[in-house]
Amino acid sequence: AASAPRPLPSSGPKSLREMPHPLATSSSEEMGPALTPSPDLLLPRSIADKDLSLPNGTPVDTSSPASSSSLLNRLQLDDDLDVETRDLFVTVDDPKKHVCTMETYITYRVTTKTTRAEFDLPEYSVRRRYQDFDWLRNKLEESQPTHLIPPLPEKFVVKGVVDRFSEEFVETRRKALDKFLKRITDHPVLSFNEHFNVFLTAKDLNAYKKQGMALLSKMGESVKYVTGGYKLRSRPLEFAAIGDYLDTFSLKLGTIDRIAQRIIKEQLEYLVELREYGPVYSTWGGLEVELSEPLEGVSACIGNCCTALEELSEDMTEDFLPVLREYILYAESMKNVLKKRDQVQAEYEAKLEAVALKREDRPKVPTDVEKCQDRVECFNADLKADMERWQNNKRQDFRQLLMGMADKNIQYYEKVCVT
């Protein structure tokens, strides 16, 4: 028999006024009006204490952060990360150019080594092009709507500005695609997805695509959000804090990205001038024997500066910018999952209101309302688990990135310093 609906989780009565942004510099009074949790979204103690787990059985900590500042605590530079037993390894390498009558494209070798029972062989090697990676990501979004899907590098490049067949561009994309698959491989749910298995093992992926196999999970099929124009009353405070954090994070990272690109552009313009500047001293030294030694010294010093600056610019272009752009796209992906969660909650609230209006005729809650509530709880648990994982990855990536760039700048100034 159907029972009364279980109230959904909430982070409590604390308002967002008391929850400072990790990246914001303004005071808490400037954060706008407080949000009030929906009356239907208060969670009894018994349910709050219930342990949730992911579809594969992995336990999930769904406790709400006391404030959005707790997100910043996960950025602390430490090495206390849980080490999981690895049984799946994927690498992307060996890019090759294919010239056909209709198109020219690049393929990459995807090598898989595994001990999982879901795979027939311990090792696979297939070739995939960018659109195959794009297909995989779309399928993961369809079949795992409650999870954060890692972003792909941008597909399009500006013609005349970037040569998409140049060694530099292909290598940068290879690294990004390799990281994309490793993100999926490390995920406790996405790595078991059937589409991911097919991507890693099928010799002819196009034949599989044409079959139109419907491998959508029940969750994927059920998330056809029909809310009838119903608007969400309010996000639970913990998810409102996450959304606010992502907005601030994207803004800050976007600013850093624009400034970094401008710095690189100015460095390259300076490098062009420097390369013309050095030979002038060498030519001058050939005309005046008495000054040839110091002039040749200046020319050699400028040449050394050119080499050091070129290396620094390459490091920023190949290592620094890609990570910034990946995390800008990552934040957008997380926002999309947050919107899907809101849509499911809005659907649940709409159905709950419809039941309340007919409560005299139908004293018991319909099964579809309970199922909708289960979907909201599933979304909440999965999103919070993925946010935790994302924060851990971000902490490691930015520690490595920033410390690496600091070292590169130190090395640059050591090379150009004249003693």
Side-chain angles (χ1 to χ4, degrees), residues 86-117:
R86 300 290 299 278
D87 56 3
L88 180 63
F89 300 87
V90 181
T91 58
V92 178
D93 59 10
D94 189 28
K96 287 185 178 180
K97 184 177 180 180
H98 300 261
V99 181
C100 303
T101 305
M102 301 298 294
E103 62 177 337
T104 301
Y105 58 93
I106 303 292
T107 63
Y108 305 84
R109 180 175 62 189
V110 178
T111 304
T112 305
K113 295 182 180 181
T114 182
T115 57
R116 290 187 180 181

PDB file of all heavy atoms in Angstrom, residues 86-117:
ATOM      1  N   ARG A  86      42.512  -0.058  -8.430  1.00  0.00           N
ATOM      2  CA  ARG A  86      42.330   0.161  -9.857  1.00  0.00           C
ATOM      3  C   ARG A  86      42.260  -1.163 -10.595  1.00  0.00           C
ATOM      4  O   ARG A  86      43.115  -2.023 -10.423  1.00  0.00           O
ATOM      5  CB  ARG A  86      43.477   1.006 -10.409  1.00  0.00           C
ATOM      6  CG  ARG A  86      43.614   2.380  -9.792  1.00  0.00           C
ATOM      7  CD  ARG A  86      42.473   3.281 -10.210  1.00  0.00           C
ATOM      8  NE  ARG A  86      42.462   3.450 -11.657  1.00  0.00           N
ATOM      9  CZ  ARG A  86      43.225   4.305 -12.320  1.00  0.00           C
ATOM     10  NH1 ARG A  86      44.061   5.090 -11.654  1.00  0.00           N
ATOM     11  NH2 ARG A  86      43.166   4.406 -13.630  1.00  0.00           N
ATOM     12  N   ASP A  87      41.236  -1.339 -11.405  1.00  0.00           N
ATOM     13  CA  ASP A  87      41.116  -2.551 -12.219  1.00  0.00           C
ATOM     14  C   ASP A  87      40.803  -2.214 -13.676  1.00  0.00           C
ATOM     15  O   ASP A  87      40.431  -3.094 -14.453  1.00  0.00           O
ATOM     16  CB  ASP A  87      40.025  -3.475 -11.653  1.00  0.00           C
ATOM     17  CG  ASP A  87      38.671  -2.785 -11.525  1.00  0.00           C
ATOM     18  OD1 ASP A  87      38.564  -1.612 -11.935  1.00  0.00           O
ATOM     19  OD2 ASP A  87      37.724  -3.413 -11.011  1.00  0.00           O
ATOM     20  N   LEU A  88      40.942  -0.935 -14.037  1.00  0.00           N
ATOM     21  CA  LEU A  88      40.680  -0.507 -15.412  1.00  0.00           C
ATOM     22  C   LEU A  88      41.620   0.643 -15.749  1.00  0.00           C
ATOM     23  O   LEU A  88      41.633   1.665 -15.070  1.00  0.00           O
ATOM     24  CB  LEU A  88      39.220  -0.068 -15.552  1.00  0.00           C
ATOM     25  CG  LEU A  88      38.767   0.406 -16.939  1.00  0.00           C
ATOM     26  CD1 LEU A  88      38.879  -0.725 -17.956  1.00  0.00           C
ATOM     27  CD2 LEU A  88      37.334   0.934 -16.886  1.00  0.00           C
ATOM     28  N   PHE A  89      42.405   0.471 -16.808  1.00  0.00           N
ATOM     29  CA  PHE A  89      43.370   1.477 -17.238  1.00  0.00           C
ATOM     30  C   PHE A  89      43.149   1.784 -18.712  1.00  0.00           C
ATOM     31  O   PHE A  89      43.108   0.872 -19.541  1.00  0.00           O
ATOM     32  CB  PHE A  89      44.803   0.990 -17.019  1.00  0.00           C
ATOM     33  CG  PHE A  89      45.131   0.673 -15.586  1.00  0.00           C
ATOM     34  CD1 PHE A  89      44.870  -0.584 -15.062  1.00  0.00           C
ATOM     35  CD2 PHE A  89      45.686   1.636 -14.760  1.00  0.00           C
ATOM     36  CE1 PHE A  89      45.165  -0.880 -13.742  1.00  0.00           C
ATOM     37  CE2 PHE A  89      45.977   1.348 -13.434  1.00  0.00           C
ATOM     38  CZ  PHE A  89      45.714   0.094 -12.927  1.00  0.00           C
ATOM     39  N   VAL A  90      43.009   3.067 -19.038  1.00  0.00           N
ATOM     40  CA  VAL A  90      42.757   3.486 -20.415  1.00  0.00           C
ATOM     41  C   VAL A  90      43.727   4.599 -20.782  1.00  0.00           C
ATOM     42  O   VAL A  90      43.945   5.526 -19.992  1.00  0.00           O
ATOM     43  CB  VAL A  90      41.303   3.985 -20.593  1.00  0.00           C
ATOM     44  CG1 VAL A  90      41.054   4.397 -22.036  1.00  0.00           C
ATOM     45  CG2 VAL A  90      40.307   2.903 -20.189  1.00  0.00           C
ATOM     46  N   THR A  91      44.304   4.517 -21.969  1.00  0.00           N
ATOM     47  CA  THR A  91      45.195   5.562 -22.469  1.00  0.00           C
ATOM     48  C   THR A  91      44.822   5.931 -23.897  1.00  0.00           C
ATOM     49  O   THR A  91      44.323   5.096 -24.658  1.00  0.00           O
ATOM     50  CB  THR A  91      46.671   5.107 -22.439  1.00  0.00           C
ATOM     51  OG1 THR A  91      46.809   3.915 -23.227  1.00  0.00           O
ATOM     52  CG2 THR A  91      47.137   4.839 -21.031  1.00  0.00           C
ATOM     53  N   VAL A  92      45.078   7.187 -24.245  1.00  0.00           N
ATOM     54  CA  VAL A  92      44.848   7.682 -25.607  1.00  0.00           C
ATOM     55  C   VAL A  92      46.192   8.152 -26.151  1.00  0.00           C
ATOM     56  O   VAL A  92      46.835   9.015 -25.556  1.00  0.00           O
ATOM     57  CB  VAL A  92      43.840   8.850 -25.618  1.00  0.00           C
ATOM     58  CG1 VAL A  92      43.651   9.381 -27.036  1.00  0.00           C
ATOM     59  CG2 VAL A  92      42.503   8.411 -25.042  1.00  0.00           C
ATOM     60  N   ASP A  93      46.622   7.575 -27.294  1.00  0.00           N
ATOM     61  CA  ASP A  93      47.903   7.962 -27.877  1.00  0.00           C
ATOM     62  C   ASP A  93      47.890   7.719 -29.390  1.00  0.00           C
ATOM     63  O   ASP A  93      46.847   7.456 -29.973  1.00  0.00           O
ATOM     64  CB  ASP A  93      49.054   7.188 -27.216  1.00  0.00           C
ATOM     65  CG  ASP A  93      48.913   5.672 -27.362  1.00  0.00           C
ATOM     66  OD1 ASP A  93      48.039   5.215 -28.129  1.00  0.00           O
ATOM     67  OD2 ASP A  93      49.682   4.938 -26.714  1.00  0.00           O
ATOM     68  N   ASP A  94      49.059   7.838 -30.007  1.00  0.00           N
ATOM     69  CA  ASP A  94      49.277   7.538 -31.415  1.00  0.00           C
ATOM     70  C   ASP A  94      48.246   8.191 -32.357  1.00  0.00           C
ATOM     71  O   ASP A  94      47.519   7.490 -33.074  1.00  0.00           O
ATOM     72  CB  ASP A  94      49.264   6.021 -31.623  1.00  0.00           C
ATOM     73  CG  ASP A  94      49.705   5.621 -33.030  1.00  0.00           C
ATOM     74  OD1 ASP A  94      50.491   6.372 -33.643  1.00  0.00           O
ATOM     75  OD2 ASP A  94      49.232   4.565 -33.527  1.00  0.00           O
ATOM     76  N   PRO A  95      48.175   9.519 -32.393  1.00  0.00           N
ATOM     77  CA  PRO A  95      47.252  10.172 -33.350  1.00  0.00           C
ATOM     78  C   PRO A  95      47.711   9.966 -34.786  1.00  0.00           C
ATOM     79  O   PRO A  95      48.906  10.006 -35.087  1.00  0.00           O
ATOM     80  CB  PRO A  95      47.334  11.653 -32.943  1.00  0.00           C
ATOM     81  CG  PRO A  95      48.656  11.797 -32.272  1.00  0.00           C
ATOM     82  CD  PRO A  95      48.921  10.502 -31.582  1.00  0.00           C
ATOM     83  N   LYS A  96      46.750   9.722 -35.674  1.00  0.00           N
ATOM     84  CA  LYS A  96      47.045   9.531 -37.089  1.00  0.00           C
ATOM     85  C   LYS A  96      46.081  10.350 -37.950  1.00  0.00           C
ATOM     86  O   LYS A  96      44.891  10.446 -37.638  1.00  0.00           O
ATOM     87  CB  LYS A  96      46.936   8.054 -37.476  1.00  0.00           C
ATOM     88  CG  LYS A  96      48.064   7.182 -36.958  1.00  0.00           C
ATOM     89  CD  LYS A  96      47.954   5.773 -37.484  1.00  0.00           C
ATOM     90  CE  LYS A  96      49.114   4.909 -36.995  1.00  0.00           C
ATOM     91  NZ  LYS A  96      49.011   3.516 -37.501  1.00  0.00           N
ATOM     92  N   LYS A  97      46.615  10.905 -39.013  1.00  0.00           N
ATOM     93  CA  LYS A  97      45.812  11.714 -39.921  1.00  0.00           C
ATOM     94  C   LYS A  97      45.276  10.847 -41.052  1.00  0.00           C
ATOM     95  O   LYS A  97      46.012  10.071 -41.658  1.00  0.00           O
ATOM     96  CB  LYS A  97      46.670  12.852 -40.495  1.00  0.00           C
ATOM     97  CG  LYS A  97      45.921  13.831 -41.380  1.00  0.00           C
ATOM     98  CD  LYS A  97      46.847  14.961 -41.825  1.00  0.00           C
ATOM     99  CE  LYS A  97      46.136  15.968 -42.702  1.00  0.00           C
ATOM    100  NZ  LYS A  97      47.048  17.058 -43.128  1.00  0.00           N
ATOM    101  N   HIS A  98      43.986  10.970 -41.339  1.00  0.00           N
ATOM    102  CA  HIS A  98      43.342  10.212 -42.408  1.00  0.00           C
ATOM    103  C   HIS A  98      42.802  11.192 -43.449  1.00  0.00           C
ATOM    104  O   HIS A  98      42.027  12.094 -43.120  1.00  0.00           O
ATOM    105  CB  HIS A  98      42.195   9.367 -41.848  1.00  0.00           C
ATOM    106  CG  HIS A  98      42.622   8.370 -40.806  1.00  0.00           C
ATOM    107  ND1 HIS A  98      42.837   7.049 -41.088  1.00  0.00           N
ATOM    108  CD2 HIS A  98      42.883   8.521 -39.475  1.00  0.00           C
ATOM    109  CE1 HIS A  98      43.213   6.412 -39.981  1.00  0.00           C
ATOM    110  NE2 HIS A  98      43.238   7.303 -38.987  1.00  0.00           N
ATOM    111  N   VAL A  99      43.218  11.005 -44.685  1.00  0.00           N
ATOM    112  CA  VAL A  99      42.776  11.863 -45.782  1.00  0.00           C
ATOM    113  C   VAL A  99      41.854  11.060 -46.685  1.00  0.00           C
ATOM    114  O   VAL A  99      42.274  10.094 -47.320  1.00  0.00           O
ATOM    115  CB  VAL A  99      43.964  12.406 -46.594  1.00  0.00           C
ATOM    116  CG1 VAL A  99      43.472  13.308 -47.717  1.00  0.00           C
ATOM    117  CG2 VAL A  99      44.939  13.154 -45.689  1.00  0.00           C
ATOM    118  N   CYS A 100      40.584  11.433 -46.709  1.00  0.00           N
ATOM    119  CA  CYS A 100      39.587  10.748 -47.532  1.00  0.00           C
ATOM    120  C   CYS A 100      39.065  11.707 -48.602  1.00  0.00           C
ATOM    121  O   CYS A 100      39.393  12.890 -48.618  1.00  0.00           O
ATOM    122  CB  CYS A 100      38.439  10.236 -46.674  1.00  0.00           C
ATOM    123  SG  CYS A 100      38.968   9.131 -45.339  1.00  0.00           S
ATOM    124  N   THR A 101      38.238  11.187 -49.466  1.00  0.00           N
ATOM    125  CA  THR A 101      37.681  12.002 -50.553  1.00  0.00           C
ATOM    126  C   THR A 101      36.820  13.127 -50.017  1.00  0.00           C
ATOM    127  O   THR A 101      36.905  14.278 -50.477  1.00  0.00           O
ATOM    128  CB  THR A 101      36.835  11.135 -51.505  1.00  0.00           C
ATOM    129  OG1 THR A 101      37.631  10.047 -51.977  1.00  0.00           O
ATOM    130  CG2 THR A 101      36.340  11.961 -52.695  1.00  0.00           C
ATOM    131  N   MET A 102      36.005  12.810 -49.002  1.00  0.00           N
ATOM    132  CA  MET A 102      35.047  13.781 -48.486  1.00  0.00           C
ATOM    133  C   MET A 102      35.576  14.600 -47.303  1.00  0.00           C
ATOM    134  O   MET A 102      35.121  15.713 -47.075  1.00  0.00           O
ATOM    135  CB  MET A 102      33.760  13.068 -48.065  1.00  0.00           C
ATOM    136  CG  MET A 102      33.077  12.310 -49.189  1.00  0.00           C
ATOM    137  SD  MET A 102      32.548  13.405 -50.516  1.00  0.00           S
ATOM    138  CE  MET A 102      31.295  14.343 -49.653  1.00  0.00           C
ATOM    139  N   GLU A 103      36.523  14.044 -46.555  1.00  0.00           N
ATOM    140  CA  GLU A 103      36.984  14.739 -45.356  1.00  0.00           C
ATOM    141  C   GLU A 103      38.377  14.286 -44.939  1.00  0.00           C
ATOM    142  O   GLU A 103      38.875  13.258 -45.385  1.00  0.00           O
ATOM    143  CB  GLU A 103      36.007  14.505 -44.202  1.00  0.00           C
ATOM    144  CG  GLU A 103      35.885  13.038 -43.806  1.00  0.00           C
ATOM    145  CD  GLU A 103      34.988  12.825 -42.617  1.00  0.00           C
ATOM    146  OE1 GLU A 103      34.796  13.780 -41.834  1.00  0.00           O
ATOM    147  OE2 GLU A 103      34.481  11.697 -42.447  1.00  0.00           O
ATOM    148  N   THR A 104      38.965  15.082 -44.084  1.00  0.00           N
ATOM    149  CA  THR A 104      40.246  14.766 -43.463  1.00  0.00           C
ATOM    150  C   THR A 104      40.052  14.833 -41.948  1.00  0.00           C
ATOM    151  O   THR A 104      39.467  15.789 -41.450  1.00  0.00           O
ATOM    152  CB  THR A 104      41.336  15.762 -43.904  1.00  0.00           C
ATOM    153  OG1 THR A 104      41.472  15.713 -45.322  1.00  0.00           O
ATOM    154  CG2 THR A 104      42.666  15.416 -43.258  1.00  0.00           C
ATOM    155  N   TYR A 105      40.533  13.814 -41.260  1.00  0.00           N
ATOM    156  CA  TYR A 105      40.311  13.789 -39.818  1.00  0.00           C
ATOM    157  C   TYR A 105      41.453  13.052 -39.119  1.00  0.00           C
ATOM    158  O   TYR A 105      42.291  12.403 -39.758  1.00  0.00           O
ATOM    159  CB  TYR A 105      38.971  13.127 -39.476  1.00  0.00           C
ATOM    160  CG  TYR A 105      38.831  11.702 -39.981  1.00  0.00           C
ATOM    161  CD1 TYR A 105      39.175  10.616 -39.171  1.00  0.00           C
ATOM    162  CD2 TYR A 105      38.360  11.438 -41.264  1.00  0.00           C
ATOM    163  CE1 TYR A 105      39.048   9.309 -39.618  1.00  0.00           C
ATOM    164  CE2 TYR A 105      38.229  10.132 -41.735  1.00  0.00           C
ATOM    165  CZ  TYR A 105      38.576   9.082 -40.911  1.00  0.00           C
ATOM    166  OH  TYR A 105      38.466   7.795 -41.361  1.00  0.00           O
ATOM    167  N   ILE A 106      41.470  13.171 -37.778  1.00  0.00           N
ATOM    168  CA  ILE A 106      42.485  12.540 -36.943  1.00  0.00           C
ATOM    169  C   ILE A 106      41.837  11.440 -36.103  1.00  0.00           C
ATOM    170  O   ILE A 106      40.744  11.627 -35.564  1.00  0.00           O
ATOM    171  CB  ILE A 106      43.147  13.558 -35.992  1.00  0.00           C
ATOM    172  CG1 ILE A 106      43.748  14.718 -36.779  1.00  0.00           C
ATOM    173  CG2 ILE A 106      44.210  12.885 -35.135  1.00  0.00           C
ATOM    174  CD1 ILE A 106      44.927  14.360 -37.635  1.00  0.00           C
ATOM    175  N   THR A 107      42.506  10.291 -36.028  1.00  0.00           N
ATOM    176  CA  THR A 107      42.060   9.235 -35.119  1.00  0.00           C
ATOM    177  C   THR A 107      43.123   9.026 -34.049  1.00  0.00           C
ATOM    178  O   THR A 107      44.303   9.320 -34.256  1.00  0.00           O
ATOM    179  CB  THR A 107      41.804   7.898 -35.844  1.00  0.00           C
ATOM    180  OG1 THR A 107      43.028   7.416 -36.410  1.00  0.00           O
ATOM    181  CG2 THR A 107      40.745   8.055 -36.921  1.00  0.00           C
ATOM    182  N   TYR A 108      42.678   8.500 -32.913  1.00  0.00           N
ATOM    183  CA  TYR A 108      43.576   8.243 -31.788  1.00  0.00           C
ATOM    184  C   TYR A 108      43.428   6.787 -31.364  1.00  0.00           C
ATOM    185  O   TYR A 108      42.329   6.222 -31.422  1.00  0.00           O
ATOM    186  CB  TYR A 108      43.241   9.157 -30.610  1.00  0.00           C
ATOM    187  CG  TYR A 108      43.250  10.625 -30.953  1.00  0.00           C
ATOM    188  CD1 TYR A 108      42.137  11.244 -31.515  1.00  0.00           C
ATOM    189  CD2 TYR A 108      44.385  11.401 -30.721  1.00  0.00           C
ATOM    190  CE1 TYR A 108      42.145  12.591 -31.838  1.00  0.00           C
ATOM    191  CE2 TYR A 108      44.404  12.746 -31.039  1.00  0.00           C
ATOM    192  CZ  TYR A 108      43.281  13.332 -31.600  1.00  0.00           C
ATOM    193  OH  TYR A 108      43.305  14.663 -31.920  1.00  0.00           O
ATOM    194  N   ARG A 109      44.529   6.211 -30.929  1.00  0.00           N
ATOM    195  CA  ARG A 109      44.475   4.837 -30.438  1.00  0.00           C
ATOM    196  C   ARG A 109      44.044   4.850 -28.973  1.00  0.00           C
ATOM    197  O   ARG A 109      44.620   5.562 -28.147  1.00  0.00           O
ATOM    198  CB  ARG A 109      45.844   4.175 -30.566  1.00  0.00           C
ATOM    199  CG  ARG A 109      45.868   2.713 -30.070  1.00  0.00           C
ATOM    200  CD  ARG A 109      47.212   2.068 -30.334  1.00  0.00           C
ATOM    201  NE  ARG A 109      48.288   2.765 -29.611  1.00  0.00           N
ATOM    202  CZ  ARG A 109      49.574   2.513 -29.803  1.00  0.00           C
ATOM    203  NH1 ARG A 109      49.951   1.610 -30.693  1.00  0.00           N
ATOM    204  NH2 ARG A 109      50.487   3.194 -29.115  1.00  0.00           N
ATOM    205  N   VAL A 110      43.016   4.074 -28.675  1.00  0.00           N
ATOM    206  CA  VAL A 110      42.514   3.938 -27.305  1.00  0.00           C
ATOM    207  C   VAL A 110      42.852   2.537 -26.821  1.00  0.00           C
ATOM    208  O   VAL A 110      42.316   1.551 -27.335  1.00  0.00           O
ATOM    209  CB  VAL A 110      40.997   4.184 -27.229  1.00  0.00           C
ATOM    210  CG1 VAL A 110      40.495   3.993 -25.802  1.00  0.00           C
ATOM    211  CG2 VAL A 110      40.643   5.574 -27.741  1.00  0.00           C
ATOM    212  N   THR A 111      43.740   2.450 -25.840  1.00  0.00           N
ATOM    213  CA  THR A 111      44.184   1.164 -25.309  1.00  0.00           C
ATOM    214  C   THR A 111      43.597   0.939 -23.930  1.00  0.00           C
ATOM    215  O   THR A 111      43.651   1.826 -23.071  1.00  0.00           O
ATOM    216  CB  THR A 111      45.718   1.111 -25.222  1.00  0.00           C
ATOM    217  OG1 THR A 111      46.274   1.381 -26.516  1.00  0.00           O
ATOM    218  CG2 THR A 111      46.186  -0.252 -24.754  1.00  0.00           C
ATOM    219  N   THR A 112      43.027  -0.238 -23.736  1.00  0.00           N
ATOM    220  CA  THR A 112      42.377  -0.581 -22.459  1.00  0.00           C
ATOM    221  C   THR A 112      42.991  -1.845 -21.884  1.00  0.00           C
ATOM    222  O   THR A 112      43.169  -2.832 -22.598  1.00  0.00           O
ATOM    223  CB  THR A 112      40.874  -0.804 -22.657  1.00  0.00           C
ATOM    224  OG1 THR A 112      40.291   0.355 -23.275  1.00  0.00           O
ATOM    225  CG2 THR A 112      40.174  -1.085 -21.336  1.00  0.00           C
ATOM    226  N   LYS A 113      43.325  -1.794 -20.594  1.00  0.00           N
ATOM    227  CA  LYS A 113      43.789  -2.973 -19.865  1.00  0.00           C
ATOM    228  C   LYS A 113      42.923  -3.109 -18.624  1.00  0.00           C
ATOM    229  O   LYS A 113      42.746  -2.137 -17.871  1.00  0.00           O
ATOM    230  CB  LYS A 113      45.259  -2.829 -19.487  1.00  0.00           C
ATOM    231  CG  LYS A 113      46.202  -2.784 -20.684  1.00  0.00           C
ATOM    232  CD  LYS A 113      47.654  -2.694 -20.256  1.00  0.00           C
ATOM    233  CE  LYS A 113      48.577  -2.656 -21.475  1.00  0.00           C
ATOM    234  NZ  LYS A 113      50.009  -2.587 -21.097  1.00  0.00           N
ATOM    235  N   THR A 114      42.383  -4.299 -18.405  1.00  0.00           N
ATOM    236  CA  THR A 114      41.428  -4.461 -17.311  1.00  0.00           C
ATOM    237  C   THR A 114      41.383  -5.895 -16.798  1.00  0.00           C
ATOM    238  O   THR A 114      41.773  -6.842 -17.509  1.00  0.00           O
ATOM    239  CB  THR A 114      40.017  -4.042 -17.760  1.00  0.00           C
ATOM    240  OG1 THR A 114      39.113  -4.153 -16.664  1.00  0.00           O
ATOM    241  CG2 THR A 114      39.519  -4.926 -18.897  1.00  0.00           C
ATOM    242  N   THR A 115      40.916  -6.037 -15.574  1.00  0.00           N
ATOM    243  CA  THR A 115      40.654  -7.357 -14.991  1.00  0.00           C
ATOM    244  C   THR A 115      39.177  -7.522 -14.658  1.00  0.00           C
ATOM    245  O   THR A 115      38.795  -8.476 -13.981  1.00  0.00           O
ATOM    246  CB  THR A 115      41.486  -7.539 -13.699  1.00  0.00           C
ATOM    247  OG1 THR A 115      41.175  -6.478 -12.785  1.00  0.00           O
ATOM    248  CG2 THR A 115      42.982  -7.524 -14.002  1.00  0.00           C
ATOM    249  N   ARG A 116      38.350  -6.609 -15.130  1.00  0.00           N
ATOM    250  CA  ARG A 116      36.915  -6.657 -14.821  1.00  0.00           C
ATOM    251  C   ARG A 116      36.228  -7.788 -15.585  1.00  0.00           C
ATOM    252  O   ARG A 116      36.540  -8.049 -16.749  1.00  0.00           O
ATOM    253  CB  ARG A 116      36.253  -5.331 -15.168  1.00  0.00           C
ATOM    254  CG  ARG A 116      36.636  -4.189 -14.251  1.00  0.00           C
ATOM    255  CD  ARG A 116      35.815  -2.954 -14.540  1.00  0.00           C
ATOM    256  NE  ARG A 116      36.183  -1.852 -13.670  1.00  0.00           N
ATOM    257  CZ  ARG A 116      35.617  -0.659 -13.681  1.00  0.00           C
ATOM    258  NH1 ARG A 116      34.642  -0.407 -14.546  1.00  0.00           N
ATOM    259  NH2 ARG A 116      36.001   0.293 -12.852  1.00  0.00           N
ATOM    260  N   ALA A 117      35.256  -8.396 -14.918  1.00  0.00           N
ATOM    261  CA  ALA A 117      34.521  -9.502 -15.527  1.00  0.00           C
ATOM    262  C   ALA A 117      33.630  -9.038 -16.667  1.00  0.00           C
ATOM    263  O   ALA A 117      33.238  -9.835 -17.525  1.00  0.00           O
ATOM    264  CB  ALA A 117      33.681 -10.207 -14.462  1.00  0.00           C
TER     265      ALA A 117
END
